[in-house]
Amino acid sequence: MRKTITLILLLLVVLLPQRPQAWGFFGHRLINRLSVFTLPPEMVGFYKSNIDYLTENATRPDSRRSVVPGEAPRHFLDVDVYGDSALTRLPHNWADAVAKYGEDSLLKHGIVPWQVVKMKYQLTDAFKQRDADRILSLSADMGHYIADACVPLHTTHNYNGQLTGQRGIHGFWESRLPEILSANYDFFVGQPVYLKNPTQTIWDAVARSNAAVDSVLRFEKELTAQFAEDRKFGFEERGNQTVRVYSRDFTNEYHQRLNGQVERQMRLAVKLVSSYWYTCWVDAGQPDLGKLPRTASETEKQRLAKEAAELRAAPAEAAVPGHED
């Protein structure tokens, strides 16, 4: 099993585009892919036969941000804009939240925990209907949003350090560190667990992420004071381009200061993704997935192709409100 995970990491590092969105293409695809291997025998056959679909489409929600209205807010929650004790005061029920704050305000500051809860019911229904295409599509998307909830900088208005002179820290924490160090992460998280209260679970995940914001920002600022500019940054070849990146020395030192925080959050994401998939399947009555098609239908493939074409045709610099930097 460890050899399998190591091979997955190597392939993803080589094949995935280096683009810092959320966990990055690398992180999101890795989380969805590893989640498949934790599933119980009754589920793993169907999911493993579609593992390429789940891996490749793990980043689709990020790609949709520029063309789908309302997509951007699904990836974050600006906890700090709601004041002290926000996580104990924010209604967990969407209707109650809308009644208290108004939908426009909620969308402005992010809705990721409510989005995960909504998708929990959608995926459960897809299992009940034995709809293989919907199961795959919803599983891939749901994995993305759950993983986003595990990122500290997805829980603050200062999401890219733009308010504290630390612009670029977003991609540094969630893309650069996993790309360099994840080959040494321990991704053996055990089998998924049944979530008795999936609503509370995702809110607890957001709270855990938000509690880490201070250390994410503080340690980077402290290290920056100790590293000269030419030591903090370096240049690497990416395809046919030379790009400026955080140096490996700075990255390794930051990892040490965080005491494995990125690894812990990635492990949490893998465990949560598989546990939500599993909980939806159980709540749907544990349907026999062995009777479902082993691949996405032609209709689903055509839908994805159409979506991809729309994305390619979208303006390159389309304005996207909400954590767009």
Side-chain angles (χ1 to χ4, degrees):
M1 183 64 174
R2 184 174 294 276
K3 289 182 179 180
T4 299
I5 291 178
T6 300
L7 179 59
I8 290 171
L9 290 167
L10 289 173
L11 288 173
L12 288 173
V13 168
V14 171
L15 297 177
L16 297 186
Q18 307 297 317
R19 188 177 175 189
Q21 294 182 340
W23 278 105
F25 276 77
F26 173 83
H28 272 299
R29 292 179 177 177
L30 176 61
I31 288 166
N32 265 15
R33 195 171 190 91
L34 292 178
S35 297
V36 171
F37 289 96
T38 73
L39 294 171
E42 297 89 344
M43 297 183 70
V44 73
F46 172 77
Y47 274 81
K48 197 170 182 181
S49 67
N50 289 288
I51 195 167
D52 289 339
Y53 177 106
L54 294 162
T55 301
E56 293 165 7
N57 289 292
T59 56
R60 191 177 58 204
D62 273 335
S63 301
R64 289 197 303 253
R65 285 168 59 99
S66 61
V67 296
V68 177
E71 175 61 48
R74 298 170 182 168
H75 300 251
F76 64 93
L77 175 65
D78 291 336
V79 174
D80 41 10
V81 305
Y82 292 98
D84 295 337
S85 304
L87 289 169
T88 61
R89 293 187 292 103
L90 281 168
H92 293 184
N93 177 276
W94 175 249
D96 292 340
V98 170
K100 185 172 183 178
Y101 294 102
E103 186 170 358
D104 288 345
S105 179
L106 292 169
L107 291 173
K108 179 179 179 180
H109 300 300
I111 60 171
V112 65
W114 292 291
Q115 176 66 20
V116 170
V117 173
K118 176 182 177 181
M119 297 201 74
K120 188 276 170 189
Y121 292 105
Q122 291 176 333
L123 182 55
T124 300
D125 181 68
F127 277 120
K128 288 180 179 179
Q129 301 301 322
R130 275 64 165 177
D131 189 332
D133 285 344
R134 285 190 70 226
I135 291 170
L136 292 175
S137 179
L138 291 167
S139 294
D141 283 2
M142 190 182 196
H144 183 104
Y145 299 124
I146 292 169
D148 277 353
C150 296
V151 177
L153 291 170
H154 278 252
T155 68
T156 174
H157 184 56
N158 190 25
Y159 55 89
N160 196 24
Q162 75 279 9
L163 304 179
T164 50
Q166 296 171 275
R167 193 176 297 276
I169 192 173
H170 196 148
F172 177 44
W173 188 96
E174 60 190 12
S175 292
R176 180 67 169 164
L177 266 75
E179 288 167 7
I180 291 178
L181 302 170
S182 60
N184 295 316
Y185 290 173
D186 178 7
F187 286 117
F188 290 89
V189 300
Q191 289 192 333
V193 297
Y194 178 76
L195 304 175
K196 295 180 180 179
N197 190 337
T199 297
Q200 187 61 50
T201 297
I202 194 61
W203 281 92
D204 287 345
V206 170
R208 169 171 160 168
S209 297
N210 187 249
V213 170
D214 176 70
S215 59
V216 169
L217 296 168
R218 177 163 51 87
F219 291 143
E220 193 277 343
K221 187 174 284 290
E222 290 175 356
L223 276 178
T224 296
Q226 299 172 20
F227 275 67
E229 186 82 358
D230 61 350
R231 287 189 62 223
K232 179 179 178 180
F233 296 101
F235 293 89
E236 292 184 359
E237 297 296 325
R238 296 289 177 87
N240 58 357
Q241 293 181 318
T242 300
V243 296
R244 186 171 184 257
V245 295
Y246 288 87
S247 71
R248 290 179 177 266
D249 286 344
F250 190 84
T251 301
N252 283 317
E253 184 62 31
Y254 187 55
H255 171 72
Q256 293 299 320
R257 291 286 185 98
L258 290 173
N259 192 28
Q261 181 190 84
V262 176
E263 177 182 359
R264 290 194 300 276
Q265 291 303 107
M266 287 194 79
R267 284 172 53 87
L268 173 65
V270 171
K271 185 77 170 185
L272 285 179
V273 170
S274 63
S275 293
Y276 272 93
W277 290 346
Y278 174 67
T279 300
C280 292
W281 174 73
V282 171
D283 286 351
Q286 303 182 37
D288 185 356
L289 303 185
K291 296 181 179 180
L292 297 182
R294 289 319 224 190
T295 59
S297 70
E298 286 303 313
T299 300
E300 173 65 4
K301 292 175 183 177
Q302 291 171 11
R303 185 186 70 82
L304 292 175
K306 179 181 178 182
E307 185 176 278
E310 292 173 348
L311 293 174
R312 288 193 296 270
E317 300 298 329
V320 182
H323 289 211
E324 68 274 12
D325 183 7

